[in-house]
């Protein structure tokens, strides 16, 4: 995979406190999000070298290095000198180093391929071409057959040759009207240049009879294969019966490179000729910090972008678990000026990175890593010096010392057994930021055990550990 290396790096750092931790959202274990490019590990690029719908799109595997030297693609053979080089839109192209080099694509024996030819009416052939030598007659593509027509030997098929500096398409005995075949040649268009990538395509619309030669997605020549020779006539039909069992050759006369070859059973007017997609999303799993009082100190990324490409970060949080594809929780854009999220604390978070290529879609941003710096909320200090004294037979007074830092109140726990506080009514008792409290309604002569915790901390709702337990027997002092 190839990309244009960018020179401006946008790197956000956060100096965390000693209690903070770092969670790597996209790391070596999440290889699905990354490709390794030009020795930059853990990077993501908006590669546009892919096909979508066609049964013959598997032919594009020819242009990947893994196929060369293997037998993993049925029906494909090639001369031993064929090489793999950098392609025009990422990935790899094939290099035909001399006029004897070739790639041969035999008729597939599976049902899909046969169905493809038997039902195809409209079609598109397309590829990128980079001629290294402009010879007088260089054969780039050929799918030809010899057949007998009432004792006359005839040729049928498709050729694409470089003739006098142009790519010329020839169709022999494929198109017919009322049983009469015709030969078609499309030779107009721009002249080719050596060592220059251009996108070439030929497309036929069976509904109108329109046959178009494209270069770089622009119409170079249009022919109407109709009864009147224009768009008003009845269209010709194309018949593949004579050639469907014969191989298609790339090369055998051409010196140069070919990339992104597709044979599509439909008429195409628009071609995706951009190097990169317009944008691409990378979405993390839902991350669980296992603590509802987790503070996100910052969300940081290390990446590179330039010349109009950019990286946007989004996040969404919740105190409750949500599905990774949940549409009910809105995404919020990370504020680059502060690198902080808008909410104070959370338990669950999900990250989305949007990579945007530049306007010409020939430069991609590169993402290396996204990390979250976080810490769990600091709890208040445990109260100390708790004492309990009897006031009368039904009341006791508790006194203690607490921290003055981030304290909003206290919880008083008590019961009639040591360490068991759920047998007392209305426990715990929540009081404000004070240092003593009178508990009434107790049973005279019964022993009660007490402990307290502090409420507050960083989020205002955290609870400290239990203080030392004390006990007292309420008795009348009269």
């Amino acid at each position: 995979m190839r990309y244009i290396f960018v020179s401006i790096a946008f790197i956000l750092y956060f100096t965390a406190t000693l209690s903070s931790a770092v969670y790597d959202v996209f790391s070596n274990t999440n290889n699905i999000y990354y490709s390794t490019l030009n020795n930059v590990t853990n990077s993501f690029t908006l590669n546009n070298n892919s096909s979508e719908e066609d049964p013959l799109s598997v032919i594009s595997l020819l242009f990947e290095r893994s196929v060369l030297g293997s037998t993993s693609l049925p029906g494909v053979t090639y001369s031993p000198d064929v090489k793999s080089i950098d392609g025009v839109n990422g990935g790899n192209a094939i290099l035909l180093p001399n006029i004897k080099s070739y790639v041969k694509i035999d008729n597939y024996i599976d049902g899909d391929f046969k169905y493809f030819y038997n039902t195809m009416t409209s079609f598109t052939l397309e590829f990128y071409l980079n001629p290294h030598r402009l010879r007088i007659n260089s054969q780039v593509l050929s799918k030809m057959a010899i057949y007998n027509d009432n004792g006359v030997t005839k040729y049928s098929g498709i050729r694409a040759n470089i003739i006098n500096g142009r790519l010329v398409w020839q169709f022999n005995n494929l198109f017919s009207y009322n049983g009469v075949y015709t030969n078609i040649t499309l030779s107009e268009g721009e002249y080719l240049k050596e060592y220059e990538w251009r996108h070439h395509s030929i497309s036929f619309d069976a509904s109108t009879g329109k046959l178009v030669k494209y270069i770089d997605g622009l119409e170079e020549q249009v022919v109407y294969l109709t009864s009147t020779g224009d768009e008003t006539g009845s269209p010709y039909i194309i018949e593949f019966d004579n050639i469907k069992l014969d191989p298609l050759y790339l090369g055998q006369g051409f010196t140069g490179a070919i990339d992104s070859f597709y044979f599509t059973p439909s008429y195409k007017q628009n071609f995706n000729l951009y190097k990169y997609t317009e944008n691409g999303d990378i979405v993390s799993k839902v991350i669980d910090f296992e603590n509802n009082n987790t503070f996100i100190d910052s969300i940081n990324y290390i990446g590179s972008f330039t010349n109009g490409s950019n990286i946007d970060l989004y996040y969404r949080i919740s105190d409750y678990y949500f599905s990774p594809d949940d549409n009910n929780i809105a995404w919020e854009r990370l504020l680059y000026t502060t690198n902080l999220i808008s909410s104070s604390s959370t338990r669950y978070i999900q990250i989305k990175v949007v990579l945007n290529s530049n306007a010409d879609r020939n430069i991609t941003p590169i993402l290396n890593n996204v990390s979250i710096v976080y810490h769990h909320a600091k709890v208040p200090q445990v109260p100390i010096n708790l004492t309990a004294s009897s006031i009368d037979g039904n009341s006791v007074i508790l006194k203690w010392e607490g921290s003055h830092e981030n304290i909003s109140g206290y919880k008083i726990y008590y019961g009639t057994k040591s360490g068991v506080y759920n047998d007392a009514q209305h426990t715990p008792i929540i009081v404000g930021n004070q240092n003593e409290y009178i508990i009434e309604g107790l049973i005279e002569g019964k022993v009660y055990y007490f402990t307290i915790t502090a409420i507050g901390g960083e989020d205002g709702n955290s609870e400290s550990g239990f203080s030392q337990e004390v006990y007292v027997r309420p008795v009348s002092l009269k």
Side-chain angles (χ1 to χ4, degrees):
M1 189 178 296
R2 188 184 66 169
Y3 76 117
I4 298 177
F5 186 79
V6 292
S7 58
I8 299 178
F10 188 67
I11 305 175
L12 298 177
Y13 293 106
F14 178 82
T15 304
T17 63
L18 293 177
S19 60
S20 294
V22 177
Y23 185 97
D24 286 319
V25 181
F26 302 114
S27 63
N28 289 331
T29 58
N30 296 322
N31 292 325
I32 188 172
Y33 299 116
Y34 296 105
S35 298
T36 299
L37 307 173
N38 287 13
N39 298 320
V40 179
T41 59
N42 286 357
S43 300
F44 183 87
T45 184
L46 303 174
N47 191 342
N48 201 30
N49 190 29
S50 62
S51 62
E52 297 178 357
E53 76 263 18
D54 316 326
L56 286 188
S57 64
V58 69
I59 292 176
S60 66
L61 292 175
L62 285 169
F63 308 101
E64 292 301 324
R65 189 182 306 273
S66 59
V67 173
L68 296 179
S70 73
T71 58
S72 60
L73 192 61
V76 176
T77 56
Y78 44 87
S79 58
D81 56 348
V82 171
K83 299 179 181 179
S84 174
I85 63 171
D86 287 339
V88 64
N89 272 347
N92 297 308
I94 59 171
L95 174 64
L96 305 172
N98 61 69
I99 60 174
K100 294 183 180 181
S101 306
Y102 67 89
V103 173
K104 177 185 176 184
I105 305 170
D106 287 312
N107 173 52
Y108 289 141
I109 60 174
D110 61 72
D112 287 343
F113 193 84
K114 291 180 180 178
Y115 178 78
F116 175 89
Y117 273 121
N118 291 338
T119 60
M120 183 168 61
T121 53
S122 300
F123 72 92
T124 301
L125 271 165
E126 61 179 301
F127 49 82
Y128 283 92
L129 194 65
N130 185 343
H132 289 189
R133 290 185 59 190
L134 291 175
R135 300 175 61 251
I136 295 177
N137 190 351
S138 301
Q139 177 175 286
V140 175
L141 177 149
S142 174
K143 184 174 177 62
M144 299 294 297
I146 301 175
Y147 70 100
N148 186 286
D149 183 13
N150 295 322
V152 179
T153 300
K154 294 184 178 180
Y155 291 88
S156 177
I158 306 170
R159 286 194 182 98
N161 291 4
I162 297 177
I163 301 175
N164 297 327
R166 289 190 175 105
L167 185 66
V168 176
W169 292 89
Q170 296 172 303
F171 298 86
N172 298 103
N173 296 315
L174 287 181
F175 294 99
S176 67
Y177 184 74
N178 288 337
V180 179
Y181 287 92
T182 186
N183 294 328
I184 305 297
T185 299
L186 286 83
S187 59
E188 298 179 8
E190 293 187 35
Y191 288 96
L192 307 182
K193 295 180 181 179
E194 293 181 351
Y195 293 96
E196 179 182 70
W197 282 109
R198 304 293 296 273
H199 183 269
H200 299 270
S201 56
I202 193 81
S203 193
F204 175 66
D205 183 3
S207 64
T208 64
K210 185 178 182 180
L211 181 67
V212 186
K213 175 188 177 184
Y214 295 93
I215 296 181
D216 291 336
L218 301 177
E219 291 185 356
E220 294 290 309
Q221 186 176 358
V222 177
V223 174
Y224 280 93
L225 301 179
T226 65
S227 58
T228 59
D230 57 30
E231 62 268 29
T232 65
S234 300
Y236 286 23
I237 62 172
I238 187 167
E239 298 179 8
F240 289 100
D241 286 345
N242 290 329
I243 67 170
K244 67 181 182 180
L245 297 179
D246 292 274
L248 184 149
Y249 284 91
L250 301 176
Q252 284 192 325
F254 167 74
T255 302
I258 302 176
D259 195 4
S260 302
F261 172 80
Y262 299 115
F263 192 0
T264 309
S266 60
Y267 172 66
K268 295 179 67 173
Q269 295 177 281
N270 299 304
F271 301 88
N272 185 3
L273 306 183
Y274 293 104
K275 181 176 178 64
Y276 298 110
T277 55
E278 183 176 358
N279 53 56
D281 294 353
I282 311 173
V283 183
S284 77
K285 66 179 182 180
V286 177
I287 300 164
D288 182 5
F289 289 110
E290 301 182 353
N291 188 317
N292 282 344
N293 296 320
T294 298
F295 281 78
I296 308 299
D297 298 322
S298 67
I299 302 174
N300 312 307
Y301 74 87
I302 300 176
S304 307
F305 56 85
T306 189
N307 292 347
S309 67
N310 62 82
I311 299 175
D312 293 322
L313 262 69
Y314 295 83
Y315 68 93
R316 54 183 183 173
I317 61 174
S318 174
D319 291 333
Y320 304 95
Y321 177 79
F322 57 92
S323 149
D325 54 357
D326 191 329
N327 294 322
N328 297 316
I329 301 178
W331 291 97
E332 296 186 52
R333 187 172 179 175
L334 184 71
L335 300 176
Y336 293 126
T337 53
T338 62
N339 215 32
L340 304 176
I341 69 174
S342 59
S343 301
S344 57
S345 63
T346 188
R347 174 170 176 172
Y348 298 95
I349 187 170
Q350 188 179 26
I351 302 297
K352 178 172 68 174
V353 182
V354 179
L355 303 178
N356 303 293
S357 58
N358 64 338
D360 293 331
R361 289 164 62 175
N362 59 0
I363 296 178
T364 174
I366 301 297
L367 178 70
N368 296 99
N369 187 37
V370 175
S371 61
I372 301 173
V373 180
Y374 70 97
H375 67 275
H376 298 309
K378 300 174 183 177
V379 298
Q381 294 180 357
V382 176
I384 60 174
N385 296 331
L386 174 65
T387 62
S389 303
S390 176
I391 298 178
D392 55 37
N394 304 109
S395 305
V396 298
I397 183 170
L398 301 179
K399 296 182 180 181
W400 63 87
E401 294 180 22
S403 170
H404 297 288
E405 181 182 358
N406 295 327
I407 297 298
S408 60
Y410 296 89
K411 290 184 180 181
I412 300 172
Y413 297 82
Y414 69 97
T416 56
K417 296 180 181 179
S418 176
V420 180
Y421 310 117
N422 56 7
D423 64 338
Q425 191 177 12
H426 309 308
T427 185
I429 300 171
I430 301 176
V431 301
N433 191 2
Q434 57 199 63
N435 295 104
E436 62 180 55
Y437 187 79
I438 296 175
I439 300 178
E440 300 175 329
L442 304 178
I443 299 174
E444 185 174 4
K446 196 172 187 68
V447 176
Y448 287 88
Y449 297 85
F450 300 88
T451 185
I452 64 172
T453 62
I455 306 170
E458 189 172 4
D459 62 348
N461 295 310
S462 295
E463 185 176 3
S464 73
F466 290 105
S467 69
Q468 181 180 1
E469 184 184 73
V470 296
Y471 62 91
V472 67
R473 186 193 308 270
V475 295
S476 176
L477 299 180
K478 294 181 180 179

